[in-house]
Amino acid sequence: MSKRLISGADQVLENVLENVLIFLTSRRDRNAVSLVCKSWCRAEAHTRSDLFIGNCYAVAPRRVTDRFKRLRSVYLKGKPRFADFSLMPADWGAHFTPWVYVMAGAYRALEKISLKRMLVTDDDLAVIAKSFKGFKELVLVCCEGFGARGLGVIATECRNLRVLELNEDEVLEDEFDWISCFPSDCTTSLESLCFDCLESPVNFEALEKLVARSPLLKKLRLNRHVSIQQLYRLTSLAPQLTDLGTGAFGLQDIIDPQQPAYQEPDHGHTFAACKSIVCLSGFRDLAHEYLPAIFPICANLTSLNLSYAHVDAQQLKSVIRHCHKLRIFWTLDSICDEGLQAVANACTDLRELRVFPTDPSENAEGPVSETGLLAVSLGCRKLQSILYFCQQMTNAAVIAMSNNCPDLEVFRLCIIGRYRPDWVTGQPMDEGFGAIVKNCKKLTRLAVSGLLTDRAFSYIGQYGKLVRTLSVAFAADGDTGLKYVLEGCTNLQKLEIRDSPFGDSGLQSGLHHFYNMRFVWLSSCRVTKQGCLEVARRLPKLVVEVFRRDEEDGGERGDFVNTLYMYRSLDGPRADAPQFVKIL
Amino acid sequence: MELINFEATELRLGLPGSTEDHRDVKSTNSPVNSNKRSSPEMDSSVSDENDPSRSPPPTKAQVVGWPPVRSYRKNILQGKKSEPERGSGIYVKVSMDGAPYLRKVDLKVYKSYGELLKGLQAMFKCIIGLYSEREGYKSEYAPTYEDKDGDWMLLGDVPWDMFLPSCKRLRIMKSSEVIELTVSAFFFGRNKTTK
């Protein structure tokens, strides 16, 4: 933005405004403020310290640094969520590199970077480490492209590092000892260290010393190569932990010739000292006989993640009956409906439940069903968010949940068998999902599955006024379904659809709304290249990408486009699109 | 216009099912008409017509990205199956003399003794040698296994394919102890260990 001469009075006004705006933290409020007038826009830009960019291709890095001069924290999101399920070709994009170089030049005082679904290289990490002197927090979620070497540079250079969190990243296994890179001569400022997604073992001796000299450490998430014996040693060094990822929680690991002969450790004491732990996860290689070790801290837990452990109903019951304060619970369906009933009995304050499938194949025997869902709806009335994988479901149970849990904001039901109707009535699942959008007045996120007709989508369009994210797969009868959604869901931001018979005419019905959305994803649907071209022509600020997946066999789909991914952008089509991506 | 199905009303002296060929032809025709959704082989391609009487795909299909479980999670769970289920893996316990911890290894992952040894070496970070009659032991440790008869055998004695179904557990012994084993086998006809 070019400097223009403003009067002294105007400048005073802006300064006053800036002093007020410092207190404004919500990004929605800030966006609103910036739209008032140019003066307010400038003032807001000067005082914004936390920046959120939901789609890294919506805006060029240079535009960001031109507008915002004093950022402390940046949160960037790259690929859309369906990339997690192998629906996006490798090397599609979302490179962090151009961002890091531009920001390195502009923001000396940047302290925090959070990235989700971006491609980050070791070099990028090195640039972060060397460019931002007071760097404090690095959070990488579902990212890839970097290895332990990059982590090593961060550990070495960032002397003020408080937070280093790796969350479901795919880290290159380069066998580099990054833990030893933390400076060894003094205490660290580390408050959070999470590497539970790391596939290679870390140097335990170095880790132990690191924990010993990190008195502020509150959050520690270990990977599966840390055995229960080693965990015990760490927790006794850090009794102040509030969030613990337990690693294997079983017998494991490499032979240490210096180890004393194997002795059964006293597990009663393992966690007795850790009275502050409220969030527990890990159990990556659970030895079930050790589960009772966590009983002493269950009563304090607000969050428990057992979703990497095969825990059956009996084993779960012994744990969950202590967990009265639990708000977040993630589990495998190995706990069965019986286990879910136990959750419903014990966790009346539950807000978020996720039930993942042990066996993700269709036609498998499902250990959880409508029975479990109903039980949870009756016991956990304050439920706000649910993700539920199952093999069979009924409308009745879903309707019951819509009535019992009016606070639901996130409802994601995945009936693994595609096109499965209500198995009791043989009817489509329309009425169930219809009840959800109708009765759950706070619903912002919805994922549907099972046998669905256009009627389900008419309900969604009619009642889903607050829905911002909608996920659809293997559903509907035709274009009308998409029309209902695009015309009815006025707050829709993110639409991801696969394998549903939505075509060009359905797509056209959203032309009035696409500029308000973060993105639209349609794969294996019935949109043609012509239809996509038409959208691109009518909406020039929309980047319309069309591509195929690598593994796609089955030949050409004729006129139908394989994947359509479109999003608004202030800076036109991206320059880094690979060959297989066509931007219309 | 459909003709009356004369066959159904026909009186015949014949075994039931003698018109099977005819019926089979009919039945193979019907999936093409009634199942309008993607055939299982063409993952995620969409039907050409909207058929209100859709039915689920007739066979179990491998559809990319379905169900929407992150591959990271799928991989973790794949490796977690502790017992061999539906022949998916042959898991045996591996112990090493002097080591406090047991490991488990899936023999199905390896195609030969050489590969198995490499895997064990990586696991225990030591050098394991295959015993050779002539050369004796090349290293400090030697791999042995317990077969289904309860006998302790040296790894490499039998062809790999014979070894796979007969191996119950593995033990990496100190080379010196193995020699004792073979001596006792010579004299007493069986290899027994105290473990």
Side-chain angles (χ1 to χ4, degrees):
Chain A
M1 216 186 301
S2 55
K3 276 191 187 297
R4 65 175 187 84
L5 292 173
I6 50 178
S7 75
D10 286 343
Q11 184 62 71
V12 169
L13 210 57
E14 257 184 49
N15 289 347
V16 168
L17 188 59
E18 280 184 26
N19 280 309
V20 170
L21 290 180
I22 290 170
F23 297 100
L24 211 61
T25 46
S26 147
R27 66 173 195 263
R28 296 216 159 85
D29 289 345
R30 282 192 159 269
N31 289 346
V33 160
S34 68
L35 292 173
V36 171
C37 64
K38 280 214 168 79
S39 170
W40 280 52
C41 186
R42 264 196 314 271
E44 194 281 314
H46 279 154
T47 55
R48 193 184 295 221
S49 58
D50 300 345
L51 182 65
F52 170 82
I53 296 176
N55 178 356
C56 63
Y57 286 123
V59 65
R62 193 63 68 184
R63 185 183 286 263
V64 170
T65 53
D66 283 347
R67 177 173 168 187
F68 300 106
K69 297 295 182 192
R70 297 192 201 146
L71 293 183
R72 291 279 149 117
S73 144
V74 172
Y75 182 7
L76 257 184
K77 292 169 95 166
K79 298 186 225 181
R81 200 179 69 98
F82 272 10
D84 289 352
F85 314 124
S86 315
L87 290 179
M88 192 158 232
D91 308 328
W92 171 83
H95 302 277
F96 182 52
T97 310
W99 287 90
V100 77
Y101 277 107
V102 170
M103 291 196 302
Y107 302 127
R108 294 276 125 192
L110 193 67
E111 292 177 349
K112 175 174 173 178
I113 293 177
S114 304
L115 304 175
K116 186 165 185 178
R117 289 194 194 95
M118 300 231 20
L119 215 67
V120 184
T121 64
D122 285 342
D123 282 341
D124 296 338
L125 295 178
V127 173
I128 293 176
K130 306 236 159 95
S131 314
F132 308 115
K133 288 303 154 201
F135 195 70
K136 293 199 171 99
E137 299 185 23
L138 181 64
V139 176
L140 301 175
V141 182
C142 302
C143 295
E144 56 182 338
F146 63 97
R149 264 178 222 287
L151 298 174
V153 185
I154 296 279
T156 309
E157 304 285 338
C158 303
R159 298 252 151 184
N160 295 317
L161 197 67
R162 284 199 299 227
V163 170
L164 179 57
E165 289 182 10
L166 306 174
N167 188 345
E168 299 199 24
D169 305 304
E170 274 194 41
V171 185
L172 301 169
E173 292 187 47
D174 55 12
E175 304 215 351
F176 180 76
D177 184 5
W178 60 283
I179 290 282
S180 299
C181 292
F182 284 95
S184 52
D185 51 349
C186 53
T187 61
T188 75
S189 333
L190 274 180
E191 294 171 17
S192 168
L193 180 63
C194 302
F195 57 92
D196 44 341
C197 58
L198 225 56
E199 283 299 300
S200 23
V202 295
N203 179 339
F204 182 73
E205 209 184 289
L207 176 63
E208 202 174 3
K209 293 195 180 124
L210 179 65
V211 170
R213 62 178 193 279
S214 303
L216 301 173
L217 195 66
K218 286 286 199 303
K219 185 168 170 182
L220 178 64
R221 293 194 180 177
L222 308 163
N223 71 2
R224 61 185 181 90
H225 291 282
V226 178
S227 70
I228 193 167
Q229 271 79 12
Q230 292 171 329
L231 173 68
Y232 171 47
R233 283 156 70 167
L234 294 176
T235 52
S236 60
L237 287 171
Q240 76 282 4
L241 288 175
T242 59
D243 184 321
L244 177 65
T246 62
F249 216 73
L251 286 184
Q252 258 241 51
D253 244 301
I254 52 174
I255 307 308
D256 182 0
Q258 272 95 39
Q259 286 260 18
Y262 172 67
Q263 273 168 21
E264 184 75 28
D266 183 354
H267 293 298
H269 284 113
T270 305
F271 293 111
C274 301
K275 284 293 177 199
S276 323
I277 292 181
V278 292
C279 178
L280 194 60
S281 61
F283 307 101
R284 301 268 169 157
D285 206 356
L286 177 64
H288 292 90
E289 58 268 30
Y290 293 127
L291 213 45
I294 70 169
F295 289 172
I297 57 166
C298 281
N300 299 328
L301 291 181
T302 55
S303 172
L304 177 60
N305 183 353
L306 293 176
S307 66
Y308 289 103
H310 286 261
V311 176
D312 67 25
Q314 285 309 114
Q315 289 155 349
L316 179 74
K317 277 180 180 174
S318 65
V319 170
I320 208 78
R321 60 193 178 92
H322 304 288
C323 302
H324 298 290
K325 287 198 197 156
L326 212 58
R327 294 204 162 194
I328 299 173
F329 183 51
W330 291 24
T331 179
L332 280 182
D333 60 7
S334 54
I335 65 170
C336 302
D337 286 331
E338 193 187 338
L340 287 172
Q341 181 66 65
V343 174
N345 294 340
C347 310
T348 50
D349 218 13
L350 200 69
R351 310 294 162 112
E352 178 179 324
L353 175 67
R354 296 197 192 191
V355 181
F356 294 96
T358 316
D359 182 352
S361 50
E362 303 181 53
N363 306 323
E365 282 223 14
V368 298
S369 68
E370 70 280 355
T371 310
L373 191 74
L374 184 61
V376 168
S377 80
L378 287 168
C380 309
R381 297 302 181 106
K382 297 188 196 164
L383 204 62
Q384 291 170 346
S385 168
I386 183 163
L387 170 63
Y388 198 86
F389 283 87
C390 58
Q391 291 287 348
Q392 62 184 46
M393 188 46 60
T394 62
N395 281 308
V398 178
I399 293 171
M401 178 159 265
S402 78
N403 287 318
N404 295 334
C405 305
D407 291 340
L408 275 176
E409 294 169 29
V410 175
F411 186 80
R412 296 155 71 192
L413 177 63
C414 182
I415 303 170
I416 297 176
R418 293 165 289 155
Y419 315 115
R420 286 248 167 95
D422 175 330
W423 71 274
V424 169
T425 64
Q427 294 296 308
M429 291 299 300
D430 297 340
E431 296 308 315
F433 286 105
I436 290 286
V437 282
K438 191 167 172 196
N439 299 334
C440 303
K441 313 255 193 278
K442 304 181 190 172
L443 198 76
T444 54
R445 184 169 176 187
L446 180 66
V448 300
S449 60
L451 183 65
L452 294 168
T453 71
D454 284 342
R455 167 165 282 187
F457 295 92
S458 82
Y459 288 142
I460 295 173
Q462 192 181 350
Y463 297 107
K465 296 304 179 190
L466 293 183
V467 171
R468 293 203 295 265
T469 306
L470 180 64
S471 305
V472 179
F474 304 102
D477 299 321
D479 274 329
T480 331
L482 185 55
K483 274 202 182 78
Y484 285 137
V485 167
L486 288 173
E487 285 170 3
C489 299
T490 42
N491 274 303
L492 197 62
Q493 295 274 298
K494 301 190 272 191
L495 182 60
E496 41 186 39
I497 301 177
R498 64 168 294 184
D499 293 275
S500 302
F502 298 136
D504 296 334
S505 118
L507 194 62
Q508 305 297 333
S509 59
L511 284 170
H512 68 288
H513 189 60
F514 290 144
Y515 276 160
N516 297 333
M517 296 179 66
R518 175 117 32 106
F519 70 79
V520 173
W521 169 291
L522 270 109
S523 61
S524 305
C525 295
R526 298 171 61 77
V527 289
T528 67
K529 210 168 197 163
Q530 280 309 113
C532 297
L533 270 167
E534 180 64 20
V535 173
R537 196 181 63 78
R538 298 269 293 269
L539 300 174
K541 284 219 197 330
L542 209 63
V543 175
V544 179
E545 294 193 14
V546 159
F547 54 87
R548 308 165 70 78
R549 277 199 321 279
D550 299 325
E551 317 91 46
E552 229 257 310
D553 50 318
E556 283 293 326
R557 300 182 69 236
D559 220 10
F560 295 138
V561 146
N562 183 279
T563 304
L564 165 68
Y565 179 54
M566 55 192 202
Y567 49 90
R568 64 187 169 194
S569 173
L570 290 174
D571 290 298
R574 57 192 178 109
D576 63 0
Q579 262 214 339
F580 54 81
V581 173
K582 294 191 186 3
I583 300 184
L584 305 175
Chain B
M1 187 179 72
E2 282 220 10
L3 297 173
I4 301 167
N5 184 358
F6 280 111
E7 270 199 332
T9 57
E10 196 177 311
L11 287 173
R12 279 158 126 244
L13 283 175
L15 291 172
S18 49
T19 54
E20 212 155 278
D21 288 355
H22 203 266
R23 266 203 288 274
D24 276 345
V25 169
K26 277 190 182 164
S27 63
T28 48
N29 276 340
S30 47
V32 174
N33 289 329
S34 68
N35 180 17
K36 296 301 183 84
R37 294 289 168 178
S38 52
S39 79
E41 283 68 40
M42 289 163 61
D43 66 284
S44 62
S45 63
V46 180
S47 59
D48 288 314
E49 281 159 71
N50 299 318
D51 183 2
S53 64
R54 70 180 72 69
S55 51
T59 59
K60 206 157 82 164
Q62 268 299 95
V63 179
V64 173
W66 186 262
V69 176
R70 297 196 62 238
S71 52
Y72 173 72
R73 194 171 272 283
K74 267 186 184 154
N75 290 339
I76 303 279
L77 295 177
Q78 244 40 284
K80 290 277 303 268
K81 298 215 163 109
S82 48
E83 299 312 312
E85 277 162 16
R86 299 176 227 112
S88 63
I90 305 172
Y91 285 88
V92 297
K93 289 188 181 162
V94 189
S95 62
M96 182 164 148
D97 286 0
Y101 309 137
L102 292 182
R103 299 296 300 273
K104 254 192 178 153
V105 69
D106 178 6
L107 293 179
K108 253 211 173 135
V109 166
Y110 306 103
K111 311 256 179 342
S112 68
Y113 284 118
E115 282 188 22
L116 172 60
L117 285 179
K118 276 208 188 116
L120 292 176
Q121 256 168 232
M123 219 182 269
F124 290 100
K125 302 254 191 319
C126 57
I127 310 296
I128 311 172
L130 270 175
Y131 177 71
S132 141
E133 291 281 341
R134 282 171 283 115
E135 294 174 56
Y137 279 100
K138 298 187 184 124
S139 75
E140 219 189 302
Y141 290 98
T144 64
Y145 70 99
E146 184 182 2
D147 71 4
K148 18 185 223 295
D149 299 327
D151 298 330
W152 284 89
M153 315 283 280
L154 291 170
L155 213 66
D157 264 359
V158 301
W160 177 255
D161 296 326
M162 272 183 68
F163 161 73
L164 267 186
S166 65
C167 171
K168 270 174 47 187
R169 53 183 294 175
L170 289 164
R171 180 180 159 198
I172 302 173
M173 299 173 70
K174 289 218 154 69
S175 309
S176 46
E177 286 197 29
V178 176
I179 296 172
E180 281 177 24
L181 266 184
T182 51
V183 165
S184 79
F186 182 76
F187 281 110
F188 302 110
R190 287 194 75 143
N191 291 337
K192 286 266 201 273
T193 62
T194 50
K195 233 190 168 109

